Amino acid sequence: MHERIYGQVSWFELASIVSVVLRLPIVLLWHAVRTTFTSRPKAHKSWRRFIGDNAFRTLADAWNMKQFQFVFGTSLHIYQVWARSHGLPVLVDDVGTHGGRLLWIGPRNTKRMILYFHGGGYVIPLQDFSATFWNYVRLKLGKEGTTAGFAIVSYSIIPTARFPMQLVQAAEALQHVIASGCNPQNIHIVGDSAGGNLALALLSHMLHPVENVPPIALTSRIGGVFLMSPWVSLTGDTGSHFANDSLDIVGVKTLAYCGRKVLEDVPDSLHVYLETSKVPDTWFKGVDKLVRRILITAGGVECLRDDIIQVSDKLSKNHNEVRLIVQKNGVHNDPFYDFLAGETNLGDLTPKILAWLRQGLNEEND
């Protein structure tokens, strides 16, 4: 019964949450000792990143979706707390008729927009450090003279809704932004992990419409799509899943668990929208008519690396403006964890993301 209620845990699961948190310092000390005396690849990360990365991996390995939902709450709650703590207004727009929302980072601006689909395996809500990352990008671009509105798409999390409801909400969010006066060529869709999966599902829907999902009418190409460590295989079995399991911040066990939760009760006919690593090369034919440019990033030591490279290759066969960056020693969603850890020396991928967005937001129209 609890499986169908968001964030409702048993007494045993509650005790497990407390136990994991209490044991965390010992686990982190063990990781520090093991790293010091083994020949594992060194990423030259600070102690802040070491602690943050290993703490996240420990929790991801130990907790189930209900425990994460219990601890963190809903995306709306996380956003409200985060916005107030950063001195920003709480601006929420209801979109469509299926419960989707736009959560604005900073003031509303529909002249040029970044539309962000958050990650979390469709089972974990928005994480505040991802909002901090995008606020940093917003402020950095603004200081350089590039202003844009940044909005998080808050979509339903399993078990409150099953795919393709998240696709319905994503389509309604894009429709809402366009109806608000933002020309598609001035919109950049960005998504990490499951959010990248959702962005790809949205492109797939535009090419191969899904029944009962709102159609998207474009008057011009979308300005750009950026996929950070997109979750392109929910049943991953490529070499990088096994080679990088001990190195990544999200391991094979967690990816497989989330994949099973997502695919439960999803018709086989819709799996192709969730696992784009397994689509034929012609699946994305026509994507160059939908979006001007695409950026894909992957971590060099993340489990999904090989799957992401496969999808990049499929997109590149159907679009001339696809760029793939594999970050050396990078983990899943690597840039975000600098902000989780409070790192002041950001990794080398963040400036590249900034440069790509800056160029796209300032390009001449089609």
Side-chain angles (χ1 to χ4, degrees):
M1 178 179 177
H2 287 170
E3 281 290 335
R4 297 297 177 185
I5 302 176
Y6 184 95
Q8 184 166 333
V9 297
S10 66
W11 285 108
F12 176 80
E13 288 167 328
L14 182 58
S16 175
I17 291 172
V18 175
S19 174
V20 170
V21 172
L22 291 177
R23 288 187 286 111
L24 194 55
I26 298 173
V27 173
L28 293 176
L29 179 61
W30 162 245
H31 280 300
V33 172
R34 184 180 65 166
T35 300
T36 300
F37 294 102
T38 62
S39 58
R40 292 159 59 86
K42 302 299 189 295
H44 304 292
K45 291 180 180 177
S46 69
W47 278 102
R48 285 195 184 100
R49 273 298 302 263
F50 175 85
I51 293 171
D53 286 14
N54 281 284
F56 190 94
R57 173 66 190 253
T58 299
L59 298 181
D61 283 348
W63 289 351
N64 62 33
M65 72 176 187
K66 293 179 295 178
Q67 291 170 310
F68 270 105
Q69 292 167 1
F70 175 83
V71 170
F72 292 112
T74 65
S75 292
L76 178 60
H77 169 72
I78 292 166
Y79 162 73
Q80 290 170 330
V81 172
W82 175 86
R84 293 184 181 114
S85 70
H86 283 73
L88 294 172
V90 174
L91 301 175
V92 179
D93 295 346
D94 294 324
V95 298
T97 59
H98 294 88
R101 298 185 178 98
L102 292 186
L103 314 176
W104 290 86
I105 300 176
R108 291 183 177 92
N109 178 354
T110 55
K111 183 178 179 181
R112 291 184 294 194
M113 276 200 65
I114 304 293
L115 197 60
Y116 169 51
F117 299 159
H118 71 81
Y122 292 112
V123 301
I124 298 174
L126 168 75
Q127 296 298 284
D128 59 1
F129 53 84
S130 65
T132 303
F133 172 87
W134 288 112
N135 191 45
Y136 168 83
V137 171
R138 179 182 71 89
L139 294 173
K140 191 74 172 175
L141 290 174
K143 287 179 181 178
E144 297 168 354
T146 302
T147 58
F150 282 68
I152 303 163
V153 177
S154 176
Y155 54 84
S156 297
I157 301 297
I158 294 169
T160 61
R162 294 286 176 182
F163 191 87
M165 179 53 68
Q166 295 82 4
L167 179 56
V168 170
Q169 293 167 324
E172 289 183 335
L174 181 56
Q175 285 180 325
H176 177 86
V177 168
I178 294 172
S180 298
C182 193
N183 193 300
Q185 63 197 3
N186 295 323
I187 298 171
H188 277 63
I189 295 173
V190 301
D192 70 276
S193 194
N197 181 292
L198 186 54
L200 284 166
L202 187 59
L203 290 177
S204 295
H205 166 59
M206 293 187 215
L207 294 168
H208 311 278
V210 179
E211 186 178 1
N212 297 323
V213 176
I216 305 295
L218 298 177
T219 56
S220 64
R221 291 188 295 174
I222 295 167
V225 171
F226 165 44
L227 310 170
M228 180 192 293
S229 294
W231 190 26
V232 294
S233 175
L234 279 62
T235 56
D237 56 3
T238 55
S240 58
H241 282 261
F242 304 102
N244 294 336
D245 183 38
S246 65
L247 304 173
D248 199 4
I249 202 166
V250 179
V252 169
K253 174 186 172 184
T254 302
L255 290 169
Y257 168 79
C258 293
R260 289 194 303 271
K261 291 298 180 184
V262 174
L263 292 174
E264 284 178 4
D265 303 323
V266 174
D268 290 346
S269 61
L270 295 181
H271 285 203
V272 68
Y273 294 87
L274 290 166
E275 293 206 281
T276 48
S277 66
K278 295 178 171 60
V279 301
D281 290 347
T282 55
W283 178 258
F284 289 112
K285 184 178 180 180
V287 70
D288 56 332
K289 304 297 191 300
L290 299 177
V291 59
R292 183 185 298 165
R293 54 210 287 272
I294 299 172
L295 173 65
I296 307 167
T297 62
V301 295
E302 77 165 291
C303 293
L304 287 164
R305 181 196 63 208
D306 293 353
D307 307 273
I308 293 169
I309 292 172
Q310 287 177 2
V311 172
S312 175
D313 289 343
K314 295 175 193 292
L315 285 165
S316 295
K317 290 175 181 177
N318 296 281
H319 199 310
N320 292 328
E321 292 295 328
V322 176
R323 181 184 179 192
L324 170 68
I325 301 175
V326 178
Q327 182 186 18
K328 183 178 180 181
N329 291 320
V331 296
H332 186 68
N333 285 350
D334 193 281
F336 284 174
Y337 296 103
D338 286 337
F339 293 83
L340 171 64
E343 181 59 73
T344 54
N345 297 317
L346 302 182
D348 60 354
L349 185 53
T350 297
K352 295 173 183 177
I353 295 168
L354 275 163
W356 187 86
L357 286 171
R358 185 188 309 112
Q359 179 184 349
L361 290 167
N362 290 307
E363 273 186 351
E364 293 294 325
N365 297 338
D366 281 342

Short mmCIF file of all heavy atoms in Angstrom, two decimals, residues 133-192:
data_model
loop_
_atom_site.label_atom_id
_atom_site.label_comp_id
_atom_site.label_asym_id
_atom_site.label_seq_id
_atom_site.Cartn_x
_atom_site.Cartn_y
_atom_site.Cartn_z
N PHE A 133 22.90 25.67 -9.08
CA PHE A 133 23.70 25.68 -10.30
C PHE A 133 23.08 26.58 -11.35
O PHE A 133 23.76 27.43 -11.95
CB PHE A 133 23.86 24.26 -10.85
CG PHE A 133 24.51 24.21 -12.21
CD1 PHE A 133 25.89 24.16 -12.32
CD2 PHE A 133 23.76 24.20 -13.38
CE1 PHE A 133 26.51 24.12 -13.57
CE2 PHE A 133 24.36 24.15 -14.63
CZ PHE A 133 25.74 24.11 -14.73
N TRP A 134 21.77 26.43 -11.60
CA TRP A 134 21.14 27.22 -12.65
C TRP A 134 21.00 28.69 -12.27
O TRP A 134 21.02 29.56 -13.15
CB TRP A 134 19.79 26.60 -13.04
CG TRP A 134 20.00 25.33 -13.80
CD1 TRP A 134 19.70 24.06 -13.41
CD2 TRP A 134 20.63 25.21 -15.08
NE1 TRP A 134 20.09 23.15 -14.36
CE2 TRP A 134 20.67 23.83 -15.40
CE3 TRP A 134 21.16 26.13 -15.99
CZ2 TRP A 134 21.22 23.35 -16.59
CZ3 TRP A 134 21.71 25.65 -17.18
CH2 TRP A 134 21.74 24.29 -17.47
N ASN A 135 20.91 28.95 -10.98
CA ASN A 135 20.93 30.37 -10.57
C ASN A 135 22.30 30.98 -10.81
O ASN A 135 22.41 32.15 -11.22
CB ASN A 135 20.56 30.49 -9.09
CG ASN A 135 20.30 31.92 -8.67
OD1 ASN A 135 19.61 32.67 -9.37
ND2 ASN A 135 20.86 32.32 -7.55
N TYR A 136 23.35 30.20 -10.57
CA TYR A 136 24.71 30.67 -10.88
C TYR A 136 24.84 30.98 -12.37
O TYR A 136 25.38 32.02 -12.76
CB TYR A 136 25.73 29.59 -10.48
CG TYR A 136 27.12 29.84 -11.01
CD1 TYR A 136 28.00 30.69 -10.34
CD2 TYR A 136 27.56 29.24 -12.20
CE1 TYR A 136 29.28 30.93 -10.84
CE2 TYR A 136 28.83 29.46 -12.69
CZ TYR A 136 29.69 30.31 -12.01
OH TYR A 136 30.94 30.56 -12.51
N VAL A 137 24.32 30.08 -13.22
CA VAL A 137 24.37 30.30 -14.66
C VAL A 137 23.59 31.56 -15.03
O VAL A 137 24.05 32.39 -15.83
CB VAL A 137 23.81 29.08 -15.41
CG1 VAL A 137 23.66 29.38 -16.90
CG2 VAL A 137 24.72 27.87 -15.20
N ARG A 138 22.42 31.73 -14.43
CA ARG A 138 21.58 32.92 -14.71
C ARG A 138 22.34 34.21 -14.36
O ARG A 138 22.38 35.16 -15.16
CB ARG A 138 20.30 32.84 -13.89
CG ARG A 138 19.36 34.03 -14.06
CD ARG A 138 18.13 33.89 -13.18
NE ARG A 138 18.44 34.08 -11.77
CZ ARG A 138 18.43 35.25 -11.15
NH1 ARG A 138 18.14 36.37 -11.81
NH2 ARG A 138 18.70 35.33 -9.85
N LEU A 139 22.93 34.24 -13.17
CA LEU A 139 23.63 35.43 -12.72
C LEU A 139 24.89 35.68 -13.55
O LEU A 139 25.20 36.83 -13.90
CB LEU A 139 23.99 35.30 -11.24
CG LEU A 139 22.80 35.26 -10.27
CD1 LEU A 139 23.28 34.95 -8.85
CD2 LEU A 139 22.02 36.57 -10.30
N LYS A 140 25.61 34.63 -13.87
CA LYS A 140 26.84 34.76 -14.66
C LYS A 140 26.54 35.30 -16.05
O LYS A 140 27.22 36.22 -16.54
CB LYS A 140 27.52 33.40 -14.76
CG LYS A 140 28.94 33.44 -15.31
CD LYS A 140 29.92 33.99 -14.30
CE LYS A 140 31.36 33.83 -14.80
NZ LYS A 140 32.33 34.46 -13.88
N LEU A 141 25.51 34.76 -16.69
CA LEU A 141 25.13 35.25 -18.01
C LEU A 141 24.65 36.70 -17.92
O LEU A 141 24.97 37.52 -18.79
CB LEU A 141 24.02 34.37 -18.60
CG LEU A 141 24.42 32.96 -19.03
CD1 LEU A 141 23.18 32.16 -19.44
CD2 LEU A 141 25.43 32.99 -20.17
N GLY A 142 23.90 37.01 -16.87
CA GLY A 142 23.40 38.37 -16.71
C GLY A 142 24.52 39.39 -16.56
O GLY A 142 24.45 40.48 -17.13
N LYS A 143 25.56 39.03 -15.82
CA LYS A 143 26.70 39.94 -15.66
C LYS A 143 27.42 40.19 -16.98
O LYS A 143 28.05 41.23 -17.17
CB LYS A 143 27.69 39.36 -14.64
CG LYS A 143 27.20 39.43 -13.20
CD LYS A 143 28.21 38.81 -12.25
CE LYS A 143 27.70 38.84 -10.81
NZ LYS A 143 28.66 38.19 -9.87
N GLU A 144 27.30 39.21 -17.89
CA GLU A 144 27.96 39.35 -19.19
C GLU A 144 27.02 39.95 -20.24
O GLU A 144 27.35 39.99 -21.43
CB GLU A 144 28.44 37.96 -19.65
CG GLU A 144 29.49 37.37 -18.71
CD GLU A 144 29.75 35.90 -18.99
OE1 GLU A 144 29.03 35.31 -19.84
OE2 GLU A 144 30.66 35.32 -18.38
N GLY A 145 25.83 40.37 -19.80
CA GLY A 145 24.91 41.05 -20.71
C GLY A 145 23.89 40.16 -21.39
O GLY A 145 23.18 40.61 -22.29
N THR A 146 23.80 38.89 -20.97
CA THR A 146 22.84 37.97 -21.57
C THR A 146 21.76 37.64 -20.53
O THR A 146 22.01 36.89 -19.59
CB THR A 146 23.51 36.67 -22.03
OG1 THR A 146 24.55 36.98 -22.97
CG2 THR A 146 22.51 35.73 -22.68
N THR A 147 20.61 38.24 -20.67
CA THR A 147 19.52 38.01 -19.71
C THR A 147 18.53 37.01 -20.29
O THR A 147 18.25 37.00 -21.49
CB THR A 147 18.79 39.31 -19.39
OG1 THR A 147 18.27 39.89 -20.59
CG2 THR A 147 19.73 40.30 -18.72
N ALA A 148 18.01 36.16 -19.42
CA ALA A 148 17.03 35.16 -19.82
C ALA A 148 16.25 34.75 -18.60
O ALA A 148 16.73 34.83 -17.46
CB ALA A 148 17.71 33.94 -20.45
N GLY A 149 15.02 34.31 -18.83
CA GLY A 149 14.23 33.75 -17.75
C GLY A 149 14.59 32.29 -17.54
O GLY A 149 14.82 31.56 -18.51
N PHE A 150 14.66 31.87 -16.30
CA PHE A 150 14.98 30.49 -15.95
C PHE A 150 13.80 29.90 -15.20
O PHE A 150 13.41 30.43 -14.15
CB PHE A 150 16.24 30.41 -15.08
CG PHE A 150 17.53 30.54 -15.83
CD1 PHE A 150 17.89 31.74 -16.43
CD2 PHE A 150 18.40 29.47 -15.95
CE1 PHE A 150 19.08 31.88 -17.12
CE2 PHE A 150 19.59 29.59 -16.64
CZ PHE A 150 19.94 30.80 -17.24
N ALA A 151 13.24 28.82 -15.71
CA ALA A 151 12.09 28.20 -15.06
C ALA A 151 12.28 26.69 -14.97
O ALA A 151 12.68 26.04 -15.94
CB ALA A 151 10.81 28.51 -15.81
N ILE A 152 12.02 26.15 -13.79
CA ILE A 152 12.06 24.71 -13.55
C ILE A 152 10.69 24.13 -13.86
O ILE A 152 9.67 24.67 -13.41
CB ILE A 152 12.41 24.42 -12.08
CG1 ILE A 152 13.74 25.07 -11.69
CG2 ILE A 152 12.43 22.92 -11.80
CD1 ILE A 152 13.95 25.18 -10.18
N VAL A 153 10.66 23.06 -14.61
CA VAL A 153 9.40 22.35 -14.84
C VAL A 153 9.22 21.33 -13.71
O VAL A 153 10.00 20.39 -13.57
CB VAL A 153 9.39 21.63 -16.20
CG1 VAL A 153 8.09 20.85 -16.37
CG2 VAL A 153 9.57 22.63 -17.34
N SER A 154 8.20 21.56 -12.88
CA SER A 154 7.87 20.63 -11.81
C SER A 154 6.84 19.65 -12.34
O SER A 154 5.71 20.02 -12.64
CB SER A 154 7.32 21.39 -10.60
OG SER A 154 6.91 20.50 -9.58
N TYR A 155 7.25 18.40 -12.47
CA TYR A 155 6.37 17.36 -13.01
C TYR A 155 6.11 16.31 -11.93
O TYR A 155 6.77 16.28 -10.89
CB TYR A 155 6.99 16.72 -14.25
CG TYR A 155 8.40 16.19 -14.07
CD1 TYR A 155 8.61 14.91 -13.55
CD2 TYR A 155 9.52 16.95 -14.42
CE1 TYR A 155 9.90 14.41 -13.38
CE2 TYR A 155 10.80 16.46 -14.25
CZ TYR A 155 10.99 15.19 -13.74
OH TYR A 155 12.26 14.70 -13.56
N SER A 156 5.14 15.46 -12.16
CA SER A 156 4.73 14.46 -11.17
C SER A 156 5.79 13.37 -11.03
O SER A 156 6.38 12.92 -12.01
CB SER A 156 3.40 13.83 -11.58
OG SER A 156 2.37 14.79 -11.60
N ILE A 157 5.99 12.96 -9.78
CA ILE A 157 6.99 11.94 -9.45
C ILE A 157 6.28 10.62 -9.17
O ILE A 157 5.21 10.58 -8.58
CB ILE A 157 7.79 12.38 -8.20
CG1 ILE A 157 8.50 13.72 -8.44
CG2 ILE A 157 8.79 11.31 -7.79
CD1 ILE A 157 9.52 13.70 -9.54
N ILE A 158 6.90 9.53 -9.61
CA ILE A 158 6.41 8.19 -9.26
C ILE A 158 6.44 8.05 -7.73
O ILE A 158 7.42 8.47 -7.11
CB ILE A 158 7.30 7.12 -9.93
CG1 ILE A 158 7.14 7.20 -11.46
CG2 ILE A 158 6.98 5.73 -9.42
CD1 ILE A 158 8.16 6.39 -12.21
N PRO A 159 5.39 7.57 -7.08
CA PRO A 159 4.26 6.80 -7.62
C PRO A 159 3.00 7.62 -7.87
O PRO A 159 1.95 7.03 -8.11
CB PRO A 159 4.02 5.77 -6.52
CG PRO A 159 4.28 6.55 -5.26
CD PRO A 159 5.43 7.47 -5.60
N THR A 160 3.07 8.96 -7.79
CA THR A 160 1.84 9.74 -7.95
C THR A 160 1.35 9.75 -9.39
O THR A 160 0.17 10.02 -9.64
CB THR A 160 2.07 11.19 -7.49
OG1 THR A 160 3.10 11.80 -8.30
CG2 THR A 160 2.51 11.25 -6.04
N ALA A 161 2.23 9.47 -10.33
CA ALA A 161 1.84 9.40 -11.74
C ALA A 161 2.85 8.54 -12.48
O ALA A 161 4.02 8.43 -12.08
CB ALA A 161 1.79 10.79 -12.37
N ARG A 162 2.42 7.92 -13.55
CA ARG A 162 3.26 7.06 -14.37
C ARG A 162 3.48 7.68 -15.74
O ARG A 162 2.64 8.45 -16.24
CB ARG A 162 2.58 5.68 -14.54
CG ARG A 162 2.47 4.89 -13.25
CD ARG A 162 3.80 4.34 -12.82
NE ARG A 162 3.70 3.65 -11.53
CZ ARG A 162 4.74 3.10 -10.92
NH1 ARG A 162 5.93 3.15 -11.49
NH2 ARG A 162 4.61 2.52 -9.75
N PHE A 163 4.60 7.34 -16.36
CA PHE A 163 4.85 7.77 -17.73
C PHE A 163 3.73 7.21 -18.63
O PHE A 163 3.32 6.06 -18.46
CB PHE A 163 6.21 7.24 -18.20
CG PHE A 163 6.68 7.83 -19.49
CD1 PHE A 163 7.39 9.01 -19.50
CD2 PHE A 163 6.43 7.19 -20.69
CE1 PHE A 163 7.83 9.55 -20.71
CE2 PHE A 163 6.85 7.72 -21.89
CZ PHE A 163 7.55 8.91 -21.89
N PRO A 164 3.15 8.04 -19.54
CA PRO A 164 3.69 9.29 -20.08
C PRO A 164 3.16 10.57 -19.45
O PRO A 164 3.21 11.63 -20.11
CB PRO A 164 3.27 9.21 -21.55
CG PRO A 164 1.94 8.54 -21.50
CD PRO A 164 2.03 7.54 -20.39
N MET A 165 2.63 10.54 -18.20
CA MET A 165 2.12 11.77 -17.60
C MET A 165 3.21 12.85 -17.55
O MET A 165 2.94 14.04 -17.79
CB MET A 165 1.59 11.50 -16.20
CG MET A 165 1.07 12.76 -15.48
SD MET A 165 -0.16 13.70 -16.45
CE MET A 165 -1.52 12.54 -16.43
N GLN A 166 4.45 12.46 -17.24
CA GLN A 166 5.53 13.45 -17.20
C GLN A 166 5.75 14.08 -18.57
O GLN A 166 6.08 15.27 -18.68
CB GLN A 166 6.82 12.79 -16.70
CG GLN A 166 6.76 12.29 -15.26
CD GLN A 166 6.12 10.93 -15.12
OE1 GLN A 166 5.76 10.29 -16.11
NE2 GLN A 166 5.96 10.47 -13.88
N LEU A 167 5.56 13.30 -19.63
CA LEU A 167 5.67 13.83 -20.99
C LEU A 167 4.53 14.79 -21.29
O LEU A 167 4.73 15.83 -21.93
CB LEU A 167 5.69 12.68 -21.99
CG LEU A 167 5.78 13.04 -23.47
CD1 LEU A 167 7.00 13.90 -23.77
CD2 LEU A 167 5.80 11.77 -24.33
N VAL A 168 3.33 14.47 -20.82
CA VAL A 168 2.19 15.38 -20.97
C VAL A 168 2.50 16.71 -20.31
O VAL A 168 2.29 17.79 -20.89
CB VAL A 168 0.91 14.76 -20.35
CG1 VAL A 168 -0.22 15.79 -20.28
CG2 VAL A 168 0.46 13.53 -21.14
N GLN A 169 3.03 16.67 -19.10
CA GLN A 169 3.32 17.90 -18.35
C GLN A 169 4.45 18.69 -19.01
O GLN A 169 4.41 19.93 -19.03
CB GLN A 169 3.66 17.54 -16.91
CG GLN A 169 2.47 16.98 -16.14
CD GLN A 169 2.87 16.34 -14.82
OE1 GLN A 169 3.93 15.71 -14.70
NE2 GLN A 169 2.02 16.49 -13.82
N ALA A 170 5.45 17.99 -19.55
CA ALA A 170 6.53 18.68 -20.27
C ALA A 170 6.00 19.38 -21.51
O ALA A 170 6.37 20.54 -21.80
CB ALA A 170 7.63 17.68 -20.64
N ALA A 171 5.13 18.69 -22.26
CA ALA A 171 4.55 19.29 -23.46
C ALA A 171 3.70 20.49 -23.09
O ALA A 171 3.74 21.55 -23.77
CB ALA A 171 3.72 18.25 -24.21
N GLU A 172 2.92 20.39 -22.02
CA GLU A 172 2.09 21.51 -21.60
C GLU A 172 2.94 22.69 -21.12
O GLU A 172 2.57 23.85 -21.33
CB GLU A 172 1.13 21.06 -20.50
CG GLU A 172 0.02 20.14 -21.01
CD GLU A 172 -0.98 19.75 -19.95
OE1 GLU A 172 -0.61 19.76 -18.74
OE2 GLU A 172 -2.11 19.40 -20.31
N ALA A 173 4.07 22.40 -20.49
CA ALA A 173 4.97 23.47 -20.06
C ALA A 173 5.53 24.22 -21.26
O ALA A 173 5.59 25.46 -21.27
CB ALA A 173 6.10 22.90 -19.20
N LEU A 174 5.97 23.48 -22.29
CA LEU A 174 6.50 24.12 -23.48
C LEU A 174 5.40 24.92 -24.19
O LEU A 174 5.64 26.05 -24.63
CB LEU A 174 7.10 23.08 -24.42
CG LEU A 174 7.73 23.60 -25.71
CD1 LEU A 174 8.81 24.65 -25.43
CD2 LEU A 174 8.30 22.45 -26.54
N GLN A 175 4.21 24.36 -24.29
CA GLN A 175 3.09 25.08 -24.87
C GLN A 175 2.82 26.38 -24.12
O GLN A 175 2.58 27.43 -24.72
CB GLN A 175 1.83 24.22 -24.84
CG GLN A 175 1.76 23.10 -25.86
CD GLN A 175 0.46 22.32 -25.73
OE1 GLN A 175 -0.06 22.14 -24.62
NE2 GLN A 175 -0.08 21.87 -26.85
N HIS A 176 2.85 26.32 -22.80
CA HIS A 176 2.59 27.49 -21.95
C HIS A 176 3.60 28.60 -22.20
O HIS A 176 3.24 29.78 -22.32
CB HIS A 176 2.62 27.06 -20.49
CG HIS A 176 2.45 28.18 -19.52
ND1 HIS A 176 1.22 28.63 -19.10
CD2 HIS A 176 3.36 28.96 -18.87
CE1 HIS A 176 1.36 29.63 -18.25
NE2 HIS A 176 2.67 29.84 -18.08
N VAL A 177 4.87 28.21 -22.28
CA VAL A 177 5.93 29.20 -22.51
C VAL A 177 5.76 29.87 -23.88
O VAL A 177 5.89 31.09 -24.01
CB VAL A 177 7.31 28.52 -22.39
CG1 VAL A 177 8.41 29.43 -22.91
CG2 VAL A 177 7.58 28.13 -20.94
N ILE A 178 5.45 29.06 -24.90
CA ILE A 178 5.25 29.62 -26.24
C ILE A 178 4.03 30.54 -26.25
O ILE A 178 4.06 31.64 -26.82
CB ILE A 178 5.11 28.49 -27.27
CG1 ILE A 178 6.43 27.71 -27.39
CG2 ILE A 178 4.71 29.05 -28.64
CD1 ILE A 178 6.34 26.46 -28.24
N ALA A 179 2.94 30.10 -25.59
CA ALA A 179 1.73 30.92 -25.54
C ALA A 179 1.94 32.21 -24.75
O ALA A 179 1.23 33.20 -24.98
CB ALA A 179 0.59 30.11 -24.91
N SER A 180 2.94 32.21 -23.86
CA SER A 180 3.24 33.42 -23.08
C SER A 180 4.00 34.45 -23.89
O SER A 180 4.29 35.55 -23.39
CB SER A 180 4.05 33.03 -21.83
OG SER A 180 3.30 32.18 -21.00
N GLY A 181 4.37 34.10 -25.13
CA GLY A 181 5.01 35.06 -26.01
C GLY A 181 6.47 34.79 -26.31
O GLY A 181 7.12 35.58 -27.00
N CYS A 182 7.01 33.67 -25.83
CA CYS A 182 8.40 33.34 -26.11
C CYS A 182 8.49 32.55 -27.40
O CYS A 182 7.93 31.46 -27.52
CB CYS A 182 9.01 32.54 -24.96
SG CYS A 182 10.82 32.43 -25.04
N ASN A 183 9.17 33.12 -28.38
CA ASN A 183 9.36 32.43 -29.65
C ASN A 183 10.21 31.18 -29.43
O ASN A 183 11.19 31.22 -28.69
CB ASN A 183 10.04 33.37 -30.64
CG ASN A 183 9.98 32.86 -32.06
OD1 ASN A 183 10.47 31.78 -32.37
ND2 ASN A 183 9.38 33.64 -32.94
N PRO A 184 9.86 30.05 -30.04
CA PRO A 184 10.65 28.83 -29.85
C PRO A 184 12.15 29.01 -30.07
O PRO A 184 12.97 28.37 -29.39
CB PRO A 184 10.05 27.86 -30.88
CG PRO A 184 8.63 28.31 -31.01
CD PRO A 184 8.68 29.82 -30.89
N GLN A 185 12.53 29.88 -31.01
CA GLN A 185 13.96 30.07 -31.28
C GLN A 185 14.68 30.74 -30.11
O GLN A 185 15.92 30.71 -30.04
CB GLN A 185 14.14 30.90 -32.54
CG GLN A 185 13.59 32.31 -32.45
CD GLN A 185 13.42 32.94 -33.82
OE1 GLN A 185 13.65 32.30 -34.84
NE2 GLN A 185 13.01 34.19 -33.85
N ASN A 186 13.92 31.30 -29.17
CA ASN A 186 14.51 31.92 -27.98
C ASN A 186 14.39 31.04 -26.74
O ASN A 186 14.60 31.51 -25.62
CB ASN A 186 13.85 33.27 -27.72
CG ASN A 186 14.14 34.27 -28.83
OD1 ASN A 186 15.24 34.29 -29.39
ND2 ASN A 186 13.17 35.09 -29.16
N ILE A 187 14.03 29.79 -26.94
CA ILE A 187 13.90 28.84 -25.84
C ILE A 187 15.03 27.82 -25.89
O ILE A 187 15.31 27.25 -26.94
CB ILE A 187 12.54 28.10 -25.91
CG1 ILE A 187 11.37 29.08 -25.79
CG2 ILE A 187 12.45 27.03 -24.81
CD1 ILE A 187 10.02 28.43 -26.08
N HIS A 188 15.66 27.61 -24.76
CA HIS A 188 16.62 26.51 -24.61
C HIS A 188 16.07 25.54 -23.58
O HIS A 188 15.76 25.94 -22.44
CB HIS A 188 18.00 27.02 -24.17
CG HIS A 188 18.83 27.53 -25.30
ND1 HIS A 188 18.47 28.62 -26.07
CD2 HIS A 188 20.01 27.08 -25.81
CE1 HIS A 188 19.40 28.83 -27.01
NE2 HIS A 188 20.35 27.90 -26.87
N ILE A 189 15.93 24.30 -23.97
CA ILE A 189 15.48 23.25 -23.06
C ILE A 189 16.73 22.57 -22.50
O ILE A 189 17.61 22.15 -23.25
CB ILE A 189 14.59 22.23 -23.78
CG1 ILE A 189 13.29 22.90 -24.25
CG2 ILE A 189 14.28 21.04 -22.88
CD1 ILE A 189 12.42 22.02 -25.13
N VAL A 190 16.80 22.48 -21.17
CA VAL A 190 17.94 21.83 -20.53
C VAL A 190 17.41 20.77 -19.58
O VAL A 190 16.37 20.94 -18.95
CB VAL A 190 18.85 22.84 -19.79
CG1 VAL A 190 19.37 23.90 -20.76
CG2 VAL A 190 18.11 23.51 -18.64
N GLY A 191 18.12 19.66 -19.50
CA GLY A 191 17.69 18.59 -18.61
C GLY A 191 18.87 17.74 -18.18
O GLY A 191 19.77 17.48 -18.99
N ASP A 192 18.85 17.33 -16.92
CA ASP A 192 19.91 16.44 -16.44
C ASP A 192 19.30 15.10 -16.06
O ASP A 192 18.17 15.02 -15.58
CB ASP A 192 20.60 17.04 -15.21
CG ASP A 192 19.71 17.06 -13.98
OD1 ASP A 192 18.90 18.01 -13.83
OD2 ASP A 192 19.78 16.12 -13.17
#
